[in-house]
Amino acid sequence: MDGVHKGQCECGAVAFTVKGARDTVAVCHCAQCRRISGHIWSSTHAAYDDVTFTRDEGLTWYAASDWAKRGFCKDCGSSLFYRLNNEDGIGIAAGCLDGPTGFKISKHIFVADKGDYYDIVDGVPQIEQS
Ligand SMILES: [Zn+2]
Ligand SMILES: [Zn+2]
């Protein structure tokens, strides 16, 4: 899908457009994503060069591990991006995109780490790790 999507954090201090994002969404149940997001972190993916920031004064990157960083808004706390340090792409939170996206969840990952307070019942493939 090569449509253009708009996204932003809750307060608007980070806003962007992205073209050519995948029309699929991966839902990550790992402990880090659950802490960062407050529940589960769901993201699409695009080439970083296809993301254009119209506002980025709130954008801050957190070194989440030796291999990846997470982008969030320092003003409102919205969890927005995930990026491996060596990748050309970027994971973009599905929830920050304006709808309708036309996207569909394609997989659940790190389900071995999922919380015990919910069930995954949508019939989409579940992967123990990534
Ligand atoms: Zn914000
Ligand atoms: Zn995760």
Side-chain angles (χ1 to χ4, degrees), residues 114-128:
K114 82 180 238 339
D116 64 358
Y117 57 91
Y118 60 92
D119 296 313
I120 303 169
V121 295
D122 58 8
V124 167
Q126 299 185 23
I127 301 165
E128 286 287 299

Side-chain angles (χ1 to χ4, degrees), residues 9-14 73 75-78:
C9 68
E10 171 60 16
C11 77
V14 184
C73 175
D75 294 334
C76 69
S78 297

Side-chain angles (χ1 to χ4, degrees), residues 29-124:
H29 297 260
C30 82
Q32 183 184 92
C33 283
R34 291 193 296 113
R35 288 193 188 99
I36 288 276
S37 68
H39 180 36
I40 50 180
W41 202 71
S42 305
S43 61
T44 182
H45 197 272
Y48 182 74
D49 287 345
D50 288 337
V51 177
T52 303
F53 287 97
T54 48
R55 289 186 66 187
D56 67 357
E57 62 267 34
L59 183 59
T60 304
W61 291 93
Y62 165 64
S65 64
D66 287 342
W67 58 89
K69 52 189 178 284
R70 312 193 68 125
F72 66 100
C73 175
K74 67 177 169 54
D75 294 334
C76 69
S78 297
S79 179
L80 301 167
F81 305 114
Y82 179 87
R83 213 176 167 205
L84 298 173
N85 293 334
N86 61 0
E87 78 167 315
D88 295 329
I90 183 170
I92 302 169
C96 73
L97 298 173
D98 293 353
T101 64
F103 295 177
K104 289 276 189 247
I105 292 174
S106 62
K107 61 183 176 180
H108 293 273
I109 62 174
F110 287 101
V111 297
D113 267 3
K114 82 180 238 339
D116 64 358
Y117 57 91
Y118 60 92
D119 296 313
I120 303 169
V121 295
D122 58 8
V124 167

Side-chain angles (χ1 to χ4, degrees), residues 16-30:
F16 63 93
T17 60
V18 56
K19 66 177 162 65
R22 284 180 198 158
D23 62 0
T24 54
V25 172
V27 180
C28 187
H29 297 260
C30 82

